[in-house]
Amino acid sequence: MSTTTIKQPSIQRLFLQLIKKDNLQHAYLFDGKTGTGKKETALWIAQSLFCQNFSDGPCGECHTCQRIASHQHPDVIELEPEGLSIKIGQVRGLKQEFTRSGMEGRKKLVMVKDVEKMTTQAANSLLKFLEEPDGDIVVILMTTAKHQLLPTILSRVQLIHFPQLSKEHRMQALEEAGLSKERASVLSQLTSDTEQALELSENENLTALIEAVWKWYVAFSKKDDQAFIYVHTDIMPLVKEKAEYHRVLDLFLVILQDILNTQLSKDYAVGYLKYQTRIQEEADRLSAVTLADLMDIILTGKKYLDSNVAAQGVFEMSALKMLAAMKRSL
């Protein structure tokens, strides 16, 4: 699977050697941010274990590999949250599968996505299996929040950390998918998940929102009191749901990070590539203290959004605070 090879080649090489030596552990925890290749790697391992033509990896073309890729192989079991959580009934159903030998062979592989979303009862039920495994089974747990897992689960798995992919790598993947360099640059800063970035690129309002947030920043830069009014006239008409509210503040953070990182390195690849010259000017003008104040205001706004405070109120409150911070700067 080429995506796995591109994303995490060192992890792929590790598992290739373990599989060749028949030395896989009973349970692994794949830890890393969204988009770092955890699921792709788990599927690659499944294909490697069951492939009819396995050599230096799965062929990817045999009937077995194709069934695994399409999530239709009976001995490769995938579990993920139903709604907001993984419930105990799901784990009990999984454990029933554990007690049966493989339908097409002696092996089974189980993948549990977002394991941190297990209820306490479900986590304790899974723990009992990890303590007393039964059969030729490999379990791969996946998480973006290792710190939320029970210590007893962490102690019974082999941790594999998936590092975040470089911005250059993410940009390349987006450009290869057909995005312009300017669009790929912004989206690679907005999310580390290439698939999510591609989904966002199809959002009809995204281009308008990217431009609107930039113009909002420019109003603050000019210490223009109209930045407060701008929330109502230009920002709110473009956003309708919680994810989009967060996107406004995330895009603002991209601008601030561009300015800060440009201060640290003249060669930094900015997200707002279209406005690179202006970002350099802002980097020369603003103090690190002012940038820190602005970032703190935006991050506080995100917390208020998480607490279900009305978005327009959050944006207006943030606007007033950012205007005050800019007016304090030289």
Side-chain angles (χ1 to χ4, degrees):
M1 295 176 69
S2 58
T3 53
T4 305
T5 303
I6 293 171
K7 283 188 175 181
Q8 302 290 352
S10 61
I11 293 176
Q12 184 188 37
R13 287 194 296 270
L14 167 66
F15 276 99
L16 180 60
Q17 293 304 311
L18 291 173
I19 292 166
K20 282 185 171 182
K21 295 177 181 178
D22 194 23
N23 199 26
L24 281 178
Q25 299 295 308
H26 162 60
Y28 292 91
L29 175 65
F30 287 1
D31 167 56
K33 291 186 176 181
T34 301
T36 51
K38 299 186 298 294
K39 184 65 176 288
E40 294 96 328
T41 300
L43 286 170
W44 181 89
I45 291 170
Q47 288 181 323
S48 296
L49 289 174
F50 294 100
C51 177
Q52 298 165 347
N53 305 309
F54 177 82
S55 176
D56 283 327
C59 69
E61 298 178 357
C62 69
H63 183 58
T64 300
C65 282
Q66 292 294 320
R67 291 171 74 193
I68 291 171
S70 60
H71 312 284
Q72 294 179 350
H73 196 287
D75 294 329
V76 179
I77 305 163
E78 301 178 49
L79 188 66
E80 58 185 45
E82 289 182 355
L84 298 177
S85 64
I86 298 175
K87 302 171 179 62
I88 189 170
Q90 293 176 264
V91 177
R92 285 173 177 164
L94 192 62
K95 290 171 73 174
Q96 290 177 355
E97 292 287 340
F98 292 152
T99 61
R100 297 196 289 267
S101 61
M103 294 183 68
E104 298 190 4
R106 61 188 182 87
K107 291 183 180 292
K108 277 187 179 291
L109 184 136
V110 178
M111 301 178 229
V112 184
K113 184 181 178 183
D114 296 331
V115 69
E116 76 278 1
K117 295 181 180 179
M118 278 190 170
T119 64
T120 302
Q121 295 88 345
N124 285 327
S125 182
L126 178 66
L127 178 61
K128 291 179 182 178
F129 167 75
L130 294 176
E131 290 173 337
E132 301 175 2
D134 182 18
D136 190 0
I137 300 168
V138 175
V139 179
I140 298 176
L141 310 179
M142 291 169 269
T143 185
T144 57
K146 175 171 66 93
H147 62 281
Q148 294 182 18
L149 301 182
L150 293 174
T152 43
I153 287 182
L154 292 174
S155 68
R156 286 164 175 79
V157 297
Q158 177 71 46
L159 176 64
I160 304 292
H161 177 67
F162 282 64
Q164 183 167 328
L165 305 179
S166 69
K167 181 188 175 184
E168 292 74 19
H169 184 107
R170 301 196 302 271
M171 274 192 67
Q172 180 183 349
L174 293 174
E175 288 183 62
E176 288 175 354
L179 272 64
S180 69
K181 190 169 185 177
E182 288 182 354
R183 176 63 67 87
S185 185
V186 174
L187 287 175
S188 65
Q189 292 284 74
L190 196 58
T191 175
S192 60
D193 186 342
T194 301
E195 291 184 6
Q196 184 183 37
L198 290 172
E199 289 178 7
L200 287 174
S201 72
E202 297 174 359
N203 186 321
E204 294 180 358
N205 281 340
L206 183 64
T207 299
L209 189 60
I210 289 171
E211 291 299 316
V213 173
W214 173 257
K215 290 176 182 177
W216 197 28
Y217 172 78
V218 170
F220 290 116
S221 177
K222 294 177 178 177
K223 303 175 185 179
D224 185 349
D225 289 335
Q226 291 298 310
F228 178 83
I229 306 299
Y230 196 85
V231 171
H232 175 71
T233 58
D234 291 72
I235 298 293
M236 292 307 298
L238 296 175
V239 292
K240 304 298 180 185
E241 57 186 36
K242 189 172 183 178
E244 293 176 327
Y245 302 151
H246 273 280
R247 199 161 297 136
V248 169
L249 298 186
D250 287 338
L251 283 167
F252 208 103
L253 275 178
V254 169
I255 296 171
L256 297 179
Q257 289 165 350
D258 278 351
I259 297 168
L260 177 61
N261 286 314
T262 299
Q263 288 180 343
L264 300 174
S265 171
K266 301 291 184 183
D267 297 325
Y268 177 73
V270 299
Y272 269 78
L273 189 60
K274 181 178 179 180
Y275 301 109
Q276 186 167 10
T277 301
R278 179 61 185 273
I279 286 169
Q280 181 64 65
E281 294 171 357
E282 293 296 290
D284 294 337
R285 184 180 69 85
L286 291 177
S287 69
V289 172
T290 299
L291 281 171
D293 287 344
L294 296 175
M295 287 184 175
D296 184 63
I297 292 166
I298 293 297
L299 292 172
T300 299
K302 286 174 66 67
K303 290 179 181 177
Y304 280 120
L305 289 178
D306 285 332
S307 300
N308 295 319
V309 177
Q312 182 165 332
V314 171
F315 296 157
E316 290 175 345
M317 175 187 66
S318 299
L320 290 173
K321 290 181 178 180
M322 286 193 287
L323 276 170
M326 284 295 201
K327 289 177 179 179
R328 288 195 301 268
S329 67
L330 296 177

